[in-house]
Amino acid sequence: VAMRGQFDLVVLDIGLTEMDGLEDCKALRRTSDVPILFLTARDDKIDRVLGMEIGGDDYVTKPFSPREWVARIKAILKRTIRVVASDATMQRGALDLDVDRRLCRIAGAEVALTASEFSLLKALMTRADHVVSRAQLVDQVYGANIHVSDRTIDSHIRNLRAKLSNAGCSDAIVTVHGVGLRMGSCSVE
């Protein structure tokens, strides 16, 4: 159903009876960058990490606090709406980020990013010549009152690096050990 319409957010359960929520997420990510929130009874760390690695934006386990769930949804929607509402076009070497249209291009070729990946890249490009700590990235991407583990950020960064590298820009994100991340030169190989 989600692939046939436009939605602001999709909530998936990993343990669906007819189709696995992880497979649904993979299928959605092939055609859409709609934010995905996993709401599930599975609370193993491996399920959380896998959910984030395949393109989920957040993961809530049952039983859950309805207030926390609403806060997480609001944070995801605020992040995606804030990005869409901006009128900036950012450039770094061969990398172009069109915030209005939510497009990432390397040397003119479009690179498909999830909502979280796009927001992380935008946060890094906003301060392209500075080192940004993981805590600062969490605040800029998820909001100040949301707890997100370092593994979640690392997973999104790893996926983002892989996509940018596959598009020919392997030096886009540089790790400054013990401090954080900064934008690289984004030269095309």
Side-chain angles (χ1 to χ4, degrees), residues 50-64:
L50 182 59
M52 302 309 273
E53 284 180 346
I54 64 171
D57 293 282
D58 204 347
Y59 194 105
V60 177
T61 58
K62 299 174 190 173
F64 60 91

Side-chain angles (χ1 to χ4, degrees), residues 175-187:
T175 299
V176 179
H177 295 285
V179 182
L181 305 164
R182 68 172 170 78
M183 289 299 300
S185 62
C186 300
S187 57

Side-chain angles (χ1 to χ4, degrees), residues 124-140:
L124 287 168
M125 288 189 72
T126 299
R127 303 199 59 212
D129 294 320
H130 299 88
V131 177
V132 182
S133 71
R134 280 177 173 73
Q136 289 171 319
L137 285 173
V138 168
D139 286 349
Q140 288 181 323

Side-chain angles (χ1 to χ4, degrees), residues 8-9 35 70-86 102 115 119 122 138-146:
D8 294 326
L9 179 103
V70 169
R72 287 177 182 267
I73 289 173
K74 284 181 179 179
I76 291 169
L77 293 175
K78 179 180 172 185
R79 182 174 70 243
T80 57
I81 289 168
R82 179 177 57 228
V83 170
V84 171
S86 175
R102 294 189 54 80
S119 296
K122 180 181 178 270
V138 168
D139 286 349
Q140 288 181 323
V141 173
Y142 293 96
N145 295 323
I146 300 294

Side-chain angles (χ1 to χ4, degrees), residues 2-3 12 19-34 36 53-56 110-115 117 163:
M3 290 189 230
L12 289 177
M19 189 172 184
D20 181 77
L22 295 172
E23 293 302 317
D24 284 343
C25 182
K26 288 179 189 176
L28 273 169
R29 282 295 169 248
R30 286 192 283 270
T31 60
S32 174
D33 67 349
V34 64
I36 296 173
E53 284 180 346
I54 64 171
E110 190 172 333
V111 179
L113 302 177
T114 67
E117 292 163 355
K163 288 178 180 182

